[in-house]
Amino acid sequence: MSAAAVLAVVVGAAAAKGELTGDPKAGETIYARCFACHALAYNRTGPKHCGLLGRRAGSVAGFEYSTAMKRANWVWNQQTLDRFLADPLKTVPGTTMGYAGVKDRQERADLIAYIEQAGRSEVCRAR
Amino acid sequence: MSSRMQSPDASLSLASDAPDLETRRSFLGKSGLVLSGAAVALLAGRDVLAKGNRSAGSDVNVLNSALGAELEAIAAYQVGAESGLLQKPVLNLAVTFQGHHKEHADVLAKTIIKLGGQPVSAKEKYTFPVETLKTQSDVLRFAAMLEKGAVSAYLGAVPVFDNRDLAKAAASILGDEAMHWAILRNALGDAPVPAAFMS
Ligand SMILES: [Fe+2]
């Protein structure tokens, strides 16, 4: 194996751990795909996204989660969100989020970066 | 195949097996609705459960999320129509689109029941960003945002249905939502169809 190939494998492994850099501006456009069910500041068909990063899965007060999501035993961070958004129904079988997922890794990174940035914005700080 | 695709009864011919036809006819007769091809395809989904397919539960989940969003859209158009901000002919558009969402919701709920599930009900109260809706354009922009979201949501639902008739029906609703979005953009003076693909 050449050095370049070794490097490619190493870089690939790093990227697989969700170490892509997300662009929040691009992520804002991707977030429009979520608007049928989600808002930043209030619960809709899906739970609100303010405060998502660092929150326990299935823990927004007043939102009725699926049993599957209530049992999801993790905190939302870049890695867990990346895994969930890639294929929600496969990651949490039984979730009510009946959505195929965001299949492009860069798009997921952008989307997560936007949600993280939005969490520090006026609209989220007001809540 | 291509000749079937051109027929408005395509879903019916795809979905029907002879032994089942009578049941379907009697159900349609009782429902008192004029059902579109998509509606017939949706109702066909119950065959999955009859075969004891466990994946029907997952399909019910997906259908119920769609129903929840449709019910919210109905309420959103109600708020828009009652806001006093919409002038004819835009007001007429809102009422027409709300009617489509009612039809979607109706057929989704019936399908969920047919699959043995429990359809979600409309919430007593929905949160809308009414403080940001001051003009007709604000209302149209908000509605357009929801409609685009609906296109994306149905697009994301199409591949996850285990029953291909349900996937087809979701695609049929997706087409309707895309038209709503384009017409609202047109009413706003935006390019009605800004791209060749939806995501
Ligand atoms: Fe619509």
Side-chain angles (χ1 to χ4, degrees), chain B residues 124-140:
Chain B
E124 280 173 32
K125 196 174 169 292
Y126 289 97
T127 308
F128 298 115
V130 281
E131 69 279 3
T132 65
L133 308 177
K134 305 268 190 244
T135 66
Q136 172 163 292
S137 286
D138 293 340
V139 175
L140 289 178

Side-chain angles (χ1 to χ4, degrees), chain B residues 102-123:
Chain B
K102 284 178 178 170
E103 288 188 54
H104 301 164
D106 192 56
V107 82
L108 288 167
K110 284 191 165 75
T111 305
I112 290 161
I113 291 167
K114 284 287 154 192
L115 285 166
Q118 175 74 37
V120 295
S121 308
K123 291 186 192 170

Side-chain angles (χ1 to χ4, degrees), chain B:
Chain B
M1 187 64 194
S2 60
S3 65
R4 271 204 305 193
M5 294 294 284
Q6 286 156 11
S7 155
D9 288 332
S11 323
L12 188 62
S13 63
L14 273 174
S16 299
D17 292 312
D20 206 36
L21 197 56
E22 277 317 304
T23 342
R24 180 171 292 114
R25 279 202 185 119
S26 67
F27 174 80
L28 295 180
K30 266 183 271 180
S31 74
L33 277 170
V34 179
L35 290 169
S36 67
V40 174
L42 272 169
L43 294 166
R46 75 192 189 287
D47 298 346
V48 174
L49 197 73
K51 286 174 193 155
N53 191 331
R54 277 180 307 172
S55 63
S58 164
D59 284 351
V60 163
N61 256 345
V62 180
L63 291 168
N64 247 332
S65 294
L67 175 58
E70 291 283 359
L71 293 169
E72 192 203 60
I74 293 164
Y77 273 113
Q78 192 65 31
V79 168
E82 290 174 353
S83 67
L85 295 169
L86 301 184
Q87 313 298 317
K88 287 186 178 183
V90 164
L91 177 60
N92 298 339
L93 281 180
V95 173
T96 302
F97 294 173
Q98 185 192 42
H100 295 165
H101 287 282
K102 284 178 178 170
E103 288 188 54
H104 301 164
D106 192 56
V107 82
L108 288 167
K110 284 191 165 75
T111 305
I112 290 161
I113 291 167
K114 284 287 154 192
L115 285 166
Q118 175 74 37
V120 295
S121 308
K123 291 186 192 170
E124 280 173 32
K125 196 174 169 292
Y126 289 97
T127 308
F128 298 115
V130 281
E131 69 279 3
T132 65
L133 308 177
K134 305 268 190 244
T135 66
Q136 172 163 292
S137 286
D138 293 340
V139 175
L140 289 178
R141 229 167 265 293
F142 176 64
M145 192 188 86
L146 294 182
E147 295 289 8
K148 181 171 188 282
V151 176
S152 297
Y154 280 108
L155 185 59
V158 166
V160 302
F161 281 114
D162 287 304
N163 180 319
R164 292 176 70 81
D165 283 330
L166 295 178
K168 181 183 175 184
S172 170
I173 298 177
L174 185 163
D176 186 59
E177 305 296 7
M179 286 189 271
H180 293 171
W181 183 52
I183 292 294
L184 291 173
R185 285 182 62 91
N186 197 57
L188 278 160
D190 294 343
V193 184
F197 298 97
M198 295 297 303
S199 55

Side-chain angles (χ1 to χ4, degrees), chain A residues 29 32-37 42-45 63 66 87 89 94-101 107 127, chain B residues 58 61-62 65 68-69 72 123 127-129 131 142 145-146 148-150 152-153 156-157 159-160 199:
Chain A
T29 308
R33 297 177 202 169
C34 316
F35 280 153
C37 297
Y42 47 91
N43 293 335
R44 296 177 57 205
T45 301
F63 186 81
S66 63
D87 196 337
L89 290 157
T95 178
T96 52
M97 188 160 140
Y99 187 74
E107 285 191 348
R127 307 276 159 162
Chain B
S58 164
N61 256 345
V62 180
S65 294
E72 192 203 60
K123 291 186 192 170
T127 308
F128 298 115
E131 69 279 3
F142 176 64
M145 192 188 86
L146 294 182
K148 181 171 188 282
S152 297
V160 302
S199 55

Side-chain angles (χ1 to χ4, degrees), chain A residues 53-109:
Chain A
L53 277 290
R55 183 162 88 203
R56 273 211 92 65
S59 71
V60 169
F63 186 81
E64 215 177 297
Y65 288 95
S66 63
T67 308
M69 188 57 81
K70 274 187 265 185
R71 284 180 186 157
N73 188 27
W74 59 71
V75 169
W76 292 121
N77 56 34
Q78 264 103 348
Q79 287 72 40
T80 52
L81 274 174
D82 181 72
R83 196 153 60 89
F84 180 68
L85 289 171
D87 196 337
L89 290 157
K90 200 168 172 185
T91 309
V92 183
T95 178
T96 52
M97 188 160 140
Y99 187 74
V102 179
K103 299 302 178 188
D104 184 277
R105 281 176 47 236
Q106 184 62 55
E107 285 191 348
R108 291 199 300 277

